[in-house]
Amino acid sequence: MGASTSCYLYPSLFLILLFFSMNYHFHYLPFPYHKHSKLSLPDHPIFSLPNNFTLSFTDNSTLSNSSRLSLPVNSKLSIPSNSTLFSNHTQASDDTHLNNRLNNSSTNSTGSAQHVIIVHEKNPFEKTEEGLARARAVIREAGRSKRYTPYRKGGFVLRGSVYINPYSFHQSHIEMEKLFRIWPYKEGEPPLFYNGPVNDIYSIEGQFMDELRKSPFAAKDPNEAIAFYLPISVVNIVRYVYRPYTTYSRLRLQNIIEDYIGIMAKRYPYWNRSNGGDHFLVSCHDWAPDVSVGNPKLFKNFVRVLCNANSSEGFQPIRDVSLPEIKIPFGKLGPPLLKHAPENRSILAFFAGGAHGHVRRLLFQHWKNKDGDIKVHDYLPKTQNYTELMSKSKFCLCPSGYEVASPRVVESIYTGCVPVIISDSYVLPFSDVLDWSKFSIHVSVAKIPELKSILQTISEHEYVKKQKRVMQVQRHFVLNRPSRPFDMLHMVMHSVWLRRLNLRLLG
C-alpha cells in the first residue's frame, strides 16, 4: 500500500511544482506572486505604442520615458497594483492576448488598488491640427535662430535681401512639402469645372487646376486634407454661360458658385467645420473678385486666389492670395527668359500696350512719343520685337489696365528688366515672403508726370543691385510642369499654405 501511494505521490508533486513554475512565467492563472510590487514595464519592451495613441492614468502612477505599450483602440484596462504587467521573461503573441491576461488578472484579484489605462485614438482632424502647430513652432524657430532644418540633400537654398526672412520662408516651404495636402472636390463636369484655360492671358487658372490633378500636394482622401479646392473655372463660366453677352450682371456667376458650395456643405462636413476658412478658389479673370460680393457672409473666411488683387475693392491680403498674371503662348509655358547684362541696356524705360483704364491714359498723356528716354507706345508695329525691347531696357513700366494686375510684371522679370509698378492699390504676388522694394520701383499714379526724374535719381550702383535681384527672383515666376520647388506654382501653393497655417480650427 505504501509503495502504491508513493507511486502516485511523487509524480503528483512533480506535476504541481511544474505547473507553479510554468504559471510563474506564463501566468496561466492570476496568482499574485509579489504582494507589494508596482506597475512596471521592462526597459526594452517588445510592444510599442503608435504615435496616434495617448495613455491616461486614473491615479498618480507613471510610466518611465523609455517604456512603451501597445493596446487595442478605446480599451479600458484594469491592472491590480500587486501584479506584474509583464516581465523580461514574458512573451505575448499579440495585443489581444495581452489584453485578455490583464483583464483576467483584474477580475480575479480582489481588494487591490486599481490602475486604469484609457487609450484614445486621435482622429485625423486632431492629428492635422497638431501637425500644423508643430510646423508653426519650427518655422518661428527657424526665423529666430536664422537656421532651418534640412528636408532633403541638395536643392536650392534661399539667401539674400529679396526675401523678408529667408530662413522662415525656407523652413515654411519644407513644412509645406511634408504636410500640405489639398482635396479638390470631385463634383462637377467640364467645361465649367475641372477645365480652365492653359494659354493666353488667364492661363494661370487652368495651369493650377491641371497641375493639382497629379501633384504630390493632392490628398488621396479628404480626411487627410489641410485645404479644399473648388475646381471652378470663372473664365469658362463667363465664356459658356454669358455668351451671347446680353448682360454683364455677376448674378449668374455668383449663383453657380454659391450653389456648388451649398452642395458641398450638405454632402461633406468640411465647409461647415471651418466656415469656408480652409477652402479656396483660383482665378485670373477680372470678374473673379465679384464671386463673393453677392453673399459676403458666406465668403467671409473663404480664400480667393486672384490676379485682380485690388486692396481698394475688397481684396484682403491676410486672407486672400495675389496670383501672378502671366500670358502663356500656345505650345509653351511662358515667355522666354532673357539675361542681358545691365551695360547692354540702352533704353531708360519702356512700355507698349493699349490705353486700358485711366492709369494708362494718364501715362500716354504725359509720355507717349514725347521723350527719347521714356519710350511709351501703344501697340508696336510688327517690325519691332516687344520682348527684345524689354530686354534692352533698364526699367519696364507696369501700369494697371482695366484692373490692377498686368502680365508686364512677370514679363519684366523674365527679361531681367527692373519693373516699375504704377498702381495705388495693387497687392503684389508673393509679398508675404518677397521684399519687392529690393528689386522693383513703385510709382504712385499721381506721380506719373515725375516718372523720368524719379528714375534718374536712382544711381547706377543701385540700379545694378536691383537688376541682379530681378535675376535672382526669376525662378519664383517660372512655370514648370510638373511644378518644382520654389517655382511659380509652388509659390502659389505656399501662399495658400500660409493662409491655412494662420488658421486654427477647433474640433
Side-chain angles (χ1 to χ4, degrees), residues 14-61:
F14 174 79
L15 291 174
I16 291 171
L17 291 173
L18 177 63
F19 171 77
F20 273 93
S21 176
M22 294 179 66
N23 192 58
Y24 179 86
H25 292 289
F26 299 102
H27 295 196
Y28 296 116
L29 292 177
F31 297 153
Y33 294 100
H34 306 286
K35 294 183 178 180
H36 303 290
S37 64
K38 295 182 179 180
L39 177 66
S40 62
L41 296 175
D43 293 334
H44 303 286
I46 58 175
F47 302 100
S48 61
L49 185 68
N51 292 330
N52 61 334
F53 288 106
T54 59
L55 297 180
S56 59
F57 291 82
T58 58
D59 63 2
N60 294 326
S61 60

Tab-separated table of all heavy atoms in Angstrom, residues 14-61:
chain	number	residue	atom	x	y	z
A	14	PHE	N	5.511	16.337	-8.527
A	14	PHE	CA	6.295	16.850	-9.666
A	14	PHE	C	5.435	17.701	-10.592
A	14	PHE	O	5.820	18.779	-11.029
A	14	PHE	CB	6.904	15.671	-10.423
A	14	PHE	CG	7.606	16.093	-11.692
A	14	PHE	CD1	8.872	16.648	-11.660
A	14	PHE	CD2	6.967	15.977	-12.934
A	14	PHE	CE1	9.507	17.050	-12.820
A	14	PHE	CE2	7.600	16.366	-14.077
A	14	PHE	CZ	8.879	16.898	-14.030
A	15	LEU	N	4.205	17.227	-10.893
A	15	LEU	CA	3.318	17.965	-11.795
A	15	LEU	C	2.883	19.297	-11.181
A	15	LEU	O	2.777	20.315	-11.866
A	15	LEU	CB	2.087	17.115	-12.126
A	15	LEU	CG	2.349	15.885	-13.003
A	15	LEU	CD1	1.092	15.040	-13.134
A	15	LEU	CD2	2.819	16.337	-14.392
A	16	ILE	N	2.612	19.264	-9.836
A	16	ILE	CA	2.213	20.507	-9.173
A	16	ILE	C	3.328	21.529	-9.221
A	16	ILE	O	3.126	22.710	-9.533
A	16	ILE	CB	1.802	20.212	-7.713
A	16	ILE	CG1	0.485	19.409	-7.695
A	16	ILE	CG2	1.629	21.510	-6.934
A	16	ILE	CD1	0.112	18.887	-6.319
A	17	LEU	N	4.553	21.095	-8.899
A	17	LEU	CA	5.693	22.024	-8.953
A	17	LEU	C	5.932	22.537	-10.361
A	17	LEU	O	6.259	23.716	-10.572
A	17	LEU	CB	6.942	21.315	-8.422
A	17	LEU	CG	6.941	21.001	-6.926
A	17	LEU	CD1	8.161	20.152	-6.573
A	17	LEU	CD2	6.948	22.296	-6.118
A	18	LEU	N	5.786	21.638	-11.346
A	18	LEU	CA	5.958	22.057	-12.745
A	18	LEU	C	4.920	23.111	-13.137
A	18	LEU	O	5.209	24.105	-13.807
A	18	LEU	CB	5.862	20.841	-13.661
A	18	LEU	CG	5.961	21.134	-15.176
A	18	LEU	CD1	7.333	21.738	-15.499
A	18	LEU	CD2	5.741	19.860	-15.975
A	19	PHE	N	3.650	22.874	-12.690
A	19	PHE	CA	2.587	23.824	-13.016
A	19	PHE	C	2.859	25.203	-12.426
A	19	PHE	O	2.735	26.229	-13.086
A	19	PHE	CB	1.251	23.285	-12.497
A	19	PHE	CG	0.138	24.291	-12.584
A	19	PHE	CD1	-0.487	24.568	-13.791
A	19	PHE	CD2	-0.264	25.020	-11.458
A	19	PHE	CE1	-1.493	25.507	-13.869
A	19	PHE	CE2	-1.270	25.941	-11.544
A	19	PHE	CZ	-1.895	26.196	-12.740
A	20	PHE	N	3.245	25.260	-11.121
A	20	PHE	CA	3.523	26.549	-10.486
A	20	PHE	C	4.706	27.250	-11.135
A	20	PHE	O	4.734	28.469	-11.274
A	20	PHE	CB	3.783	26.345	-8.986
A	20	PHE	CG	2.523	26.355	-8.164
A	20	PHE	CD1	1.851	25.182	-7.866
A	20	PHE	CD2	1.987	27.565	-7.728
A	20	PHE	CE1	0.690	25.216	-7.119
A	20	PHE	CE2	0.817	27.592	-6.974
A	20	PHE	CZ	0.157	26.409	-6.672
A	21	SER	N	5.701	26.467	-11.511
A	21	SER	CA	6.865	27.062	-12.167
A	21	SER	C	6.486	27.702	-13.495
A	21	SER	O	6.876	28.819	-13.810
A	21	SER	CB	7.949	26.003	-12.370
A	21	SER	OG	9.042	26.555	-13.088
A	22	MET	N	5.693	26.958	-14.289
A	22	MET	CA	5.278	27.494	-15.589
A	22	MET	C	4.316	28.666	-15.412
A	22	MET	O	4.380	29.655	-16.144
A	22	MET	CB	4.620	26.399	-16.423
A	22	MET	CG	5.571	25.276	-16.820
A	22	MET	SD	4.752	24.009	-17.783
A	22	MET	CE	4.351	24.922	-19.266
A	23	ASN	N	3.407	28.580	-14.443
A	23	ASN	CA	2.461	29.674	-14.219
A	23	ASN	C	3.166	30.940	-13.751
A	23	ASN	O	2.735	32.057	-14.028
A	23	ASN	CB	1.413	29.249	-13.197
A	23	ASN	CG	0.253	30.225	-13.140
A	23	ASN	OD1	-0.407	30.458	-14.151
A	23	ASN	ND2	0.014	30.820	-11.979
A	24	TYR	N	4.284	30.761	-13.028
A	24	TYR	CA	5.063	31.916	-12.574
A	24	TYR	C	5.553	32.737	-13.773
A	24	TYR	O	5.589	33.960	-13.752
A	24	TYR	CB	6.245	31.421	-11.742
A	24	TYR	CG	7.113	32.561	-11.246
A	24	TYR	CD1	6.819	33.240	-10.078
A	24	TYR	CD2	8.238	32.963	-11.993
A	24	TYR	CE1	7.615	34.275	-9.627
A	24	TYR	CE2	9.040	33.996	-11.542
A	24	TYR	CZ	8.729	34.651	-10.365
A	24	TYR	OH	9.510	35.676	-9.936
A	25	HIS	N	5.953	32.001	-14.825
A	25	HIS	CA	6.495	32.681	-16.010
A	25	HIS	C	5.413	33.110	-16.984
A	25	HIS	O	5.490	34.156	-17.585
A	25	HIS	CB	7.501	31.774	-16.729
A	25	HIS	CG	8.762	31.545	-15.937
A	25	HIS	ND1	9.686	32.536	-15.743
A	25	HIS	CD2	9.217	30.442	-15.284
A	25	HIS	CE1	10.701	32.059	-15.013
A	25	HIS	NE2	10.419	30.788	-14.723
A	26	PHE	N	4.374	32.253	-17.145
A	26	PHE	CA	3.420	32.499	-18.214
A	26	PHE	C	2.039	32.947	-17.729
A	26	PHE	O	1.178	33.288	-18.518
A	26	PHE	CB	3.259	31.246	-19.074
A	26	PHE	CG	4.543	30.833	-19.735
A	26	PHE	CD1	5.290	29.785	-19.248
A	26	PHE	CD2	4.990	31.542	-20.841
A	26	PHE	CE1	6.477	29.426	-19.870
A	26	PHE	CE2	6.179	31.179	-21.451
A	26	PHE	CZ	6.927	30.124	-20.968
A	27	HIS	N	1.791	32.909	-16.404
A	27	HIS	CA	0.550	33.459	-15.830
A	27	HIS	C	-0.701	32.824	-16.412
A	27	HIS	O	-1.592	33.512	-16.907
A	27	HIS	CB	0.493	34.966	-16.049
A	27	HIS	CG	1.574	35.713	-15.315
A	27	HIS	ND1	1.532	37.055	-15.113
A	27	HIS	CD2	2.724	35.284	-14.728
A	27	HIS	CE1	2.611	37.444	-14.452
A	27	HIS	NE2	3.345	36.366	-14.215
A	28	TYR	N	-0.757	31.496	-16.367
A	28	TYR	CA	-1.995	30.852	-16.797
A	28	TYR	C	-3.126	31.176	-15.852
A	28	TYR	O	-4.274	31.343	-16.263
A	28	TYR	CB	-1.801	29.332	-16.873
A	28	TYR	CG	-0.798	28.911	-17.906
A	28	TYR	CD1	0.392	28.275	-17.524
A	28	TYR	CD2	-1.012	29.177	-19.248
A	28	TYR	CE1	1.320	27.897	-18.476
A	28	TYR	CE2	-0.091	28.803	-20.196
A	28	TYR	CZ	1.081	28.152	-19.805
A	28	TYR	OH	1.983	27.788	-20.740
A	29	LEU	N	-2.839	31.259	-14.559
A	29	LEU	CA	-3.806	31.708	-13.555
A	29	LEU	C	-3.224	32.928	-12.851
A	29	LEU	O	-2.033	33.014	-12.636
A	29	LEU	CB	-4.085	30.587	-12.537
A	29	LEU	CG	-4.829	29.362	-13.098
A	29	LEU	CD1	-4.955	28.315	-12.014
A	29	LEU	CD2	-6.182	29.750	-13.647
A	30	PRO	N	-4.102	33.874	-12.458
A	30	PRO	CA	-3.609	35.150	-11.919
A	30	PRO	C	-3.256	35.095	-10.442
A	30	PRO	O	-3.823	35.827	-9.642
A	30	PRO	CB	-4.797	36.076	-12.184
A	30	PRO	CG	-5.994	35.189	-12.089
A	30	PRO	CD	-5.572	33.866	-12.645
A	31	PHE	N	-2.311	34.228	-10.053
A	31	PHE	CA	-1.880	34.204	-8.660
A	31	PHE	C	-0.951	35.376	-8.401
A	31	PHE	O	0.000	35.592	-9.142
A	31	PHE	CB	-1.129	32.899	-8.352
A	31	PHE	CG	-2.018	31.662	-8.515
A	31	PHE	CD1	-1.470	30.443	-8.830
A	31	PHE	CD2	-3.397	31.760	-8.330
A	31	PHE	CE1	-2.272	29.325	-8.972
A	31	PHE	CE2	-4.202	30.637	-8.469
A	31	PHE	CZ	-3.641	29.412	-8.799
A	32	PRO	N	-1.180	36.142	-7.346
A	32	PRO	CA	-0.307	37.305	-7.033
A	32	PRO	C	0.972	36.856	-6.361
A	32	PRO	O	1.025	36.650	-5.166
A	32	PRO	CB	-1.182	38.137	-6.093
A	32	PRO	CG	-2.087	37.147	-5.439
A	32	PRO	CD	-2.328	36.051	-6.422
A	33	TYR	N	2.042	36.717	-7.139
A	33	TYR	CA	3.305	36.229	-6.605
A	33	TYR	C	4.018	37.283	-5.770
A	33	TYR	O	4.742	36.988	-4.854
A	33	TYR	CB	4.216	35.785	-7.758
A	33	TYR	CG	3.650	34.587	-8.488
A	33	TYR	CD1	2.972	34.742	-9.686
A	33	TYR	CD2	3.770	33.313	-7.940
A	33	TYR	CE1	2.447	33.644	-10.348
A	33	TYR	CE2	3.244	32.209	-8.606
A	33	TYR	CZ	2.588	32.379	-9.810
A	33	TYR	OH	2.073	31.304	-10.458
A	34	HIS	N	3.850	38.588	-6.168
A	34	HIS	CA	4.546	39.650	-5.448
A	34	HIS	C	3.501	40.571	-4.833
A	34	HIS	O	2.858	41.345	-5.522
A	34	HIS	CB	5.459	40.450	-6.402
A	34	HIS	CG	6.410	39.559	-7.142
A	34	HIS	ND1	7.490	38.986	-6.542
A	34	HIS	CD2	6.415	39.153	-8.438
A	34	HIS	CE1	8.154	38.252	-7.440
A	34	HIS	NE2	7.507	38.343	-8.586
A	35	LYS	N	3.343	40.502	-3.556
A	35	LYS	CA	2.256	41.226	-2.910
A	35	LYS	C	2.466	42.731	-2.917
A	35	LYS	O	1.529	43.490	-2.820
A	35	LYS	CB	2.101	40.737	-1.476
A	35	LYS	CG	1.634	39.290	-1.396
A	35	LYS	CD	1.423	38.882	0.048
A	35	LYS	CE	0.912	37.429	0.124
A	35	LYS	NZ	0.694	37.000	1.518
A	36	HIS	N	3.684	43.180	-2.976
A	36	HIS	CA	3.946	44.620	-2.872
A	36	HIS	C	4.587	45.193	-4.132
A	36	HIS	O	5.177	46.246	-4.090
A	36	HIS	CB	4.856	44.897	-1.664
A	36	HIS	CG	4.276	44.379	-0.380
A	36	HIS	ND1	3.179	44.949	0.212
A	36	HIS	CD2	4.644	43.316	0.401
A	36	HIS	CE1	2.874	44.278	1.343
A	36	HIS	NE2	3.752	43.286	1.462
A	37	SER	N	4.478	44.502	-5.250
A	37	SER	CA	5.086	45.013	-6.478
A	37	SER	C	4.226	46.134	-7.060
A	37	SER	O	3.027	46.180	-6.861
A	37	SER	CB	5.230	43.898	-7.514
A	37	SER	OG	3.959	43.414	-7.908
A	38	LYS	N	4.870	47.080	-7.839
A	38	LYS	CA	4.184	48.177	-8.508
A	38	LYS	C	4.071	47.882	-9.990
A	38	LYS	O	4.739	47.017	-10.525
A	38	LYS	CB	4.953	49.484	-8.286
A	38	LYS	CG	4.997	49.930	-6.823
A	38	LYS	CD	5.738	51.245	-6.700
A	38	LYS	CE	5.772	51.704	-5.255
A	38	LYS	NZ	6.498	52.985	-5.107
A	39	LEU	N	3.210	48.664	-10.659
A	39	LEU	CA	3.093	48.530	-12.101
A	39	LEU	C	4.442	48.810	-12.735
A	39	LEU	O	5.041	49.850	-12.503
A	39	LEU	CB	2.055	49.542	-12.633
A	39	LEU	CG	1.850	49.589	-14.144
A	39	LEU	CD1	1.247	48.280	-14.629
A	39	LEU	CD2	0.950	50.751	-14.518
A	40	SER	N	4.923	47.895	-13.526
A	40	SER	CA	6.263	48.064	-14.088
A	40	SER	C	6.288	47.601	-15.523
A	40	SER	O	5.521	46.741	-15.922
A	40	SER	CB	7.287	47.275	-13.274
A	40	SER	OG	6.987	45.901	-13.336
A	41	LEU	N	7.170	48.170	-16.264
A	41	LEU	CA	7.403	47.790	-17.647
A	41	LEU	C	8.881	47.528	-17.827
A	41	LEU	O	9.707	48.185	-17.196
A	41	LEU	CB	6.957	48.913	-18.603
A	41	LEU	CG	5.448	49.240	-18.608
A	41	LEU	CD1	5.205	50.448	-19.512
A	41	LEU	CD2	4.618	48.077	-19.067
A	42	PRO	N	9.246	46.592	-18.672
A	42	PRO	CA	10.664	46.309	-18.878
A	42	PRO	C	11.357	47.465	-19.583
A	42	PRO	O	10.726	48.303	-20.212
A	42	PRO	CB	10.642	45.058	-19.765
A	42	PRO	CG	9.340	45.110	-20.466
A	42	PRO	CD	8.376	45.741	-19.496
A	43	ASP	N	12.664	47.500	-19.429
A	43	ASP	CA	13.428	48.579	-20.060
A	43	ASP	C	13.350	48.527	-21.570
A	43	ASP	O	13.426	49.539	-22.243
A	43	ASP	CB	14.893	48.504	-19.614
A	43	ASP	CG	15.030	48.807	-18.130
A	43	ASP	OD1	14.155	49.532	-17.599
A	43	ASP	OD2	15.985	48.305	-17.517
A	44	HIS	N	13.223	47.335	-22.127
A	44	HIS	CA	13.169	47.173	-23.580
A	44	HIS	C	11.957	46.331	-23.937
A	44	HIS	O	12.079	45.156	-24.262
A	44	HIS	CB	14.449	46.529	-24.107
A	44	HIS	CG	15.682	47.294	-23.748
A	44	HIS	ND1	16.014	48.468	-24.358
A	44	HIS	CD2	16.634	47.066	-22.798
A	44	HIS	CE1	17.151	48.930	-23.837
A	44	HIS	NE2	17.530	48.101	-22.887
A	45	PRO	N	10.765	46.883	-23.852
A	45	PRO	CA	9.558	46.101	-24.104
A	45	PRO	C	9.462	45.677	-25.557
A	45	PRO	O	10.021	46.313	-26.448
A	45	PRO	CB	8.436	47.067	-23.738
A	45	PRO	CG	9.021	48.422	-23.965
A	45	PRO	CD	10.469	48.301	-23.599
A	46	ILE	N	8.693	44.630	-25.768
A	46	ILE	CA	8.532	44.135	-27.137
A	46	ILE	C	7.324	44.775	-27.817
A	46	ILE	O	7.074	44.543	-28.986
A	46	ILE	CB	8.367	42.605	-27.156
A	46	ILE	CG1	7.153	42.194	-26.307
A	46	ILE	CG2	9.609	41.906	-26.666
A	46	ILE	CD1	6.841	40.717	-26.378
A	47	PHE	N	6.564	45.596	-27.073
A	47	PHE	CA	5.418	46.280	-27.641
A	47	PHE	C	5.740	47.760	-27.774
A	47	PHE	O	6.466	48.310	-26.960
A	47	PHE	CB	4.185	46.118	-26.738
A	47	PHE	CG	3.816	44.683	-26.502
A	47	PHE	CD1	4.175	44.033	-25.326
A	47	PHE	CD2	3.133	43.971	-27.464
A	47	PHE	CE1	3.849	42.722	-25.115
A	47	PHE	CE2	2.805	42.645	-27.246
A	47	PHE	CZ	3.158	42.016	-26.077
A	48	SER	N	5.161	48.412	-28.768
A	48	SER	CA	5.369	49.858	-28.951
A	48	SER	C	4.030	50.524	-29.173
A	48	SER	O	3.144	49.979	-29.813
A	48	SER	CB	6.294	50.141	-30.142
A	48	SER	OG	5.727	49.657	-31.334
A	49	LEU	N	3.895	51.734	-28.654
A	49	LEU	CA	2.661	52.491	-28.762
A	49	LEU	C	2.719	53.410	-29.980
A	49	LEU	O	3.608	54.224	-30.103
A	49	LEU	CB	2.472	53.343	-27.508
A	49	LEU	CG	1.166	54.130	-27.399
A	49	LEU	CD1	0.009	53.179	-27.217
A	49	LEU	CD2	1.231	55.095	-26.239
A	50	PRO	N	1.775	53.282	-30.927
A	50	PRO	CA	1.782	54.166	-32.087
A	50	PRO	C	1.626	55.618	-31.676
A	50	PRO	O	1.093	55.931	-30.609
A	50	PRO	CB	0.551	53.686	-32.894
A	50	PRO	CG	0.299	52.301	-32.409
A	50	PRO	CD	0.708	52.291	-30.972
A	51	ASN	N	2.053	56.523	-32.572
A	51	ASN	CA	2.029	57.940	-32.262
A	51	ASN	C	0.622	58.493	-32.076
A	51	ASN	O	0.424	59.507	-31.434
A	51	ASN	CB	2.727	58.735	-33.380
A	51	ASN	CG	4.211	58.443	-33.413
A	51	ASN	OD1	4.804	58.150	-32.376
A	51	ASN	ND2	4.802	58.519	-34.594
A	52	ASN	N	-0.378	57.840	-32.671
A	52	ASN	CA	-1.722	58.381	-32.597
A	52	ASN	C	-2.512	57.846	-31.409
A	52	ASN	O	-3.722	57.887	-31.392
A	52	ASN	CB	-2.481	58.092	-33.899
A	52	ASN	CG	-2.621	56.602	-34.155
A	52	ASN	OD1	-1.809	55.817	-33.692
A	52	ASN	ND2	-3.663	56.229	-34.893
A	53	PHE	N	-1.826	57.308	-30.384
A	53	PHE	CA	-2.491	56.878	-29.165
A	53	PHE	C	-1.989	57.709	-28.001
A	53	PHE	O	-0.864	58.185	-27.989
A	53	PHE	CB	-2.203	55.399	-28.865
A	53	PHE	CG	-2.893	54.453	-29.799
A	53	PHE	CD1	-2.184	53.780	-30.776
A	53	PHE	CD2	-4.252	54.238	-29.705
A	53	PHE	CE1	-2.818	52.911	-31.637
A	53	PHE	CE2	-4.889	53.368	-30.569
A	53	PHE	CZ	-4.176	52.708	-31.537
A	54	THR	N	-2.855	57.873	-27.009
A	54	THR	CA	-2.453	58.518	-25.773
A	54	THR	C	-2.855	57.635	-24.611
A	54	THR	O	-3.866	56.935	-24.678
A	54	THR	CB	-3.122	59.894	-25.616
A	54	THR	OG1	-4.552	59.717	-25.634
A	54	THR	CG2	-2.708	60.839	-26.720
A	55	LEU	N	-2.073	57.639	-23.542
A	55	LEU	CA	-2.364	56.873	-22.346
A	55	LEU	C	-2.694	57.820	-21.218
A	55	LEU	O	-2.008	58.815	-21.012
A	55	LEU	CB	-1.158	56.007	-21.951
A	55	LEU	CG	-0.715	54.930	-22.944
A	55	LEU	CD1	0.479	54.189	-22.359
A	55	LEU	CD2	-1.831	53.970	-23.237
A	56	SER	N	-3.748	57.525	-20.473
A	56	SER	CA	-4.068	58.329	-19.299
A	56	SER	C	-4.269	57.410	-18.108
A	56	SER	O	-4.851	56.332	-18.245
A	56	SER	CB	-5.328	59.165	-19.549
A	56	SER	OG	-6.426	58.338	-19.846
A	57	PHE	N	-3.773	57.830	-16.945
A	57	PHE	CA	-3.848	57.030	-15.720
A	57	PHE	C	-4.807	57.694	-14.739
A	57	PHE	O	-4.877	58.918	-14.637
A	57	PHE	CB	-2.456	56.910	-15.083
A	57	PHE	CG	-1.520	56.068	-15.893
A	57	PHE	CD1	-0.855	56.618	-16.983
A	57	PHE	CD2	-1.333	54.737	-15.604
A	57	PHE	CE1	-0.001	55.849	-17.739
A	57	PHE	CE2	-0.479	53.974	-16.360
A	57	PHE	CZ	0.191	54.516	-17.419
A	58	THR	N	-5.533	56.850	-13.995
A	58	THR	CA	-6.518	57.398	-13.071
A	58	THR	C	-5.923	57.744	-11.720
A	58	THR	O	-6.578	58.347	-10.899
A	58	THR	CB	-7.657	56.391	-12.862
A	58	THR	OG1	-7.090	55.158	-12.371
A	58	THR	CG2	-8.379	56.122	-14.161
A	59	ASP	N	-4.670	57.314	-11.449
A	59	ASP	CA	-4.040	57.725	-10.211
A	59	ASP	C	-2.688	58.340	-10.508
A	59	ASP	O	-2.439	58.769	-11.624
A	59	ASP	CB	-3.938	56.535	-9.238
A	59	ASP	CG	-3.053	55.437	-9.802
A	59	ASP	OD1	-2.500	55.621	-10.925
A	59	ASP	OD2	-2.906	54.418	-9.147
A	60	ASN	N	-1.814	58.380	-9.548
A	60	ASN	CA	-0.542	59.083	-9.714
A	60	ASN	C	0.577	58.208	-10.259
A	60	ASN	O	1.722	58.615	-10.277
A	60	ASN	CB	-0.097	59.693	-8.381
A	60	ASN	CG	-1.047	60.777	-7.932
A	60	ASN	OD1	-1.607	61.493	-8.766
A	60	ASN	ND2	-1.255	60.897	-6.630
A	61	SER	N	0.251	56.993	-10.641
A	61	SER	CA	1.297	56.129	-11.174
A	61	SER	C	1.731	56.625	-12.543
A	61	SER	O	0.969	57.225	-13.266
A	61	SER	CB	0.787	54.688	-11.283
A	61	SER	OG	-0.327	54.641	-12.140
